Amino acid sequence: MKLLNLQPTFHVSNFELSKEYQRRTQYMNRSFAFISIAALTLCASQLCQAAEKKNPEANKLAVEGAKAAKDQDFDKAVDLLKKAAAMDHKYGDELSAVYQQRAYAAAKDQRYGDAINDYEEALKLTPQQAPRIHEQRAAVEMKIQDYDKALADYSELIKQKPNEIKYLSYRAYIYELKNDLQNSMTDNEQILKADPNNQDAKARKQRLEQKIAERVTVTPPPRSPTAAPTQSPAKKKKP
């Protein structure tokens, strides 16, 4: 899965979307390919193997759930796998995979809130898959411009991969949108340290430096103090 690659440019004090951003946005609208076919194939394979093991009722529900998922009846698949997982926790991985598959379908149908909710459920079931789920969810949050939530997801990703340039780029971009110039500059400097020729980061640095300079309040220099008189004025004589 390749996330939407935002590459903002700056022009006349407003963000404009680059051609690359527009192209990837169109791609994202068409595909929303957040779950790989290989992962789903593995899920089905695991369920087939599980059918031969203990707890036949749970196995039966899980196999039926896998078939429903294959037929893209995701609501039925989630219901069946929930029941199977309640009987045997080992089916939590399969249920998580279907939640992610349903999230993909919801996002493709522009039901972004449903997609985000399903990613949350998948994260509870398989915290070991947190990097992938955070990345997928952040892509949806960026799509609906929910920058606060996307910022939280990218921050979690950066905790796990502190030097991952694409995550730092997304977060620097969000900080810049939120006018948090210092944090944007911090992430941007980390990008340039790892990749000095990163053109997006170099352009962002120029913008940030200009914005930070414009924030400095220019005050006039203090006036020189008036010189004190050297002597008291002479008193007038009385007539």
Side-chain angles (χ1 to χ4, degrees):
M1 186 276 292
K2 196 168 186 176
L3 279 180
L4 183 64
N5 185 17
L6 300 176
Q7 298 203 3
T9 58
F10 196 75
H11 180 65
V12 195
S13 301
N14 290 306
F15 280 105
E16 293 181 346
L17 302 182
S18 66
K19 290 181 180 179
E20 178 69 7
Y21 172 79
Q22 295 172 9
R23 183 182 71 79
R24 291 185 181 278
T25 298
Q26 291 170 356
Y27 170 80
M28 193 174 191
N29 285 335
R30 289 196 303 269
S31 64
F32 272 98
F34 300 146
I35 304 296
S36 68
I37 295 174
L40 295 176
T41 302
L42 176 61
C43 170
S45 174
Q46 289 172 340
L47 288 174
C48 289
Q49 294 173 10
E52 301 174 0
K53 298 182 180 180
K54 296 179 181 180
N55 205 333
E57 181 62 25
N59 289 331
K60 178 182 177 183
L61 291 169
V63 171
E64 289 176 0
K67 183 178 184 304
K70 184 178 179 181
D71 295 338
Q72 298 188 6
D73 188 348
F74 301 118
D75 292 343
K76 180 179 179 181
V78 166
D79 183 58
L80 289 167
L81 282 164
K82 268 186 173 181
K83 293 176 181 177
M87 296 179 184
D88 193 330
H89 293 303
K90 70 184 177 184
Y91 294 111
D93 287 355
E94 284 72 28
L95 178 57
S96 175
V98 174
Y99 268 127
Q100 292 177 67
Q101 193 178 5
R102 189 170 72 172
Y104 150 72
K108 185 178 179 182
D109 198 34
Q110 299 185 13
R111 292 183 289 108
Y112 303 118
D114 290 340
I116 290 170
N117 289 338
D118 275 349
Y119 283 130
E120 180 66 27
E121 293 301 320
L123 189 59
K124 292 175 185 175
L125 288 163
T126 52
Q128 70 275 14
Q129 295 179 19
R132 184 176 70 181
I133 297 171
H134 280 301
E135 191 171 10
Q136 293 168 352
R137 187 171 65 181
V140 179
E141 291 159 348
M142 292 294 285
K143 181 67 181 174
I144 61 176
Q145 299 181 3
D146 192 341
Y147 295 124
D148 288 337
K149 289 183 179 178
L151 182 65
D153 274 325
Y154 284 122
S155 293
E156 286 297 321
L157 288 163
I158 290 168
K159 285 180 184 178
Q160 297 166 44
K161 295 185 177 181
N163 298 315
E164 182 63 55
I165 288 178
K166 66 177 178 178
Y167 300 151
L168 289 166
S169 295
Y170 283 126
R171 193 168 73 171
Y173 169 49
I174 295 171
Y175 276 137
E176 187 177 4
L177 284 177
K178 291 169 68 66
N179 216 26
D180 187 344
L181 305 184
Q182 293 299 334
N183 276 324
S184 183
M185 182 67 84
T186 298
D187 281 349
N188 207 62
E189 288 299 325
Q190 193 169 344
I191 296 167
L192 289 171
K193 184 177 180 180
D195 181 10
N197 294 319
N198 188 296
Q199 295 302 309
D200 186 49
K202 288 167 73 174
R204 182 182 294 112
K205 183 175 181 178
Q206 291 182 345
R207 294 196 303 269
L208 292 172
E209 288 176 340
Q210 180 179 349
K211 286 183 175 184
I212 291 171
E214 289 171 353
R215 277 189 176 182
V216 178
T217 304
V218 179
T219 57
R223 292 184 299 173
S224 299
T226 303
T230 56
Q231 61 183 15
S232 300
K235 293 182 180 180
K236 292 183 180 180
K237 295 181 178 180
K238 293 182 180 180

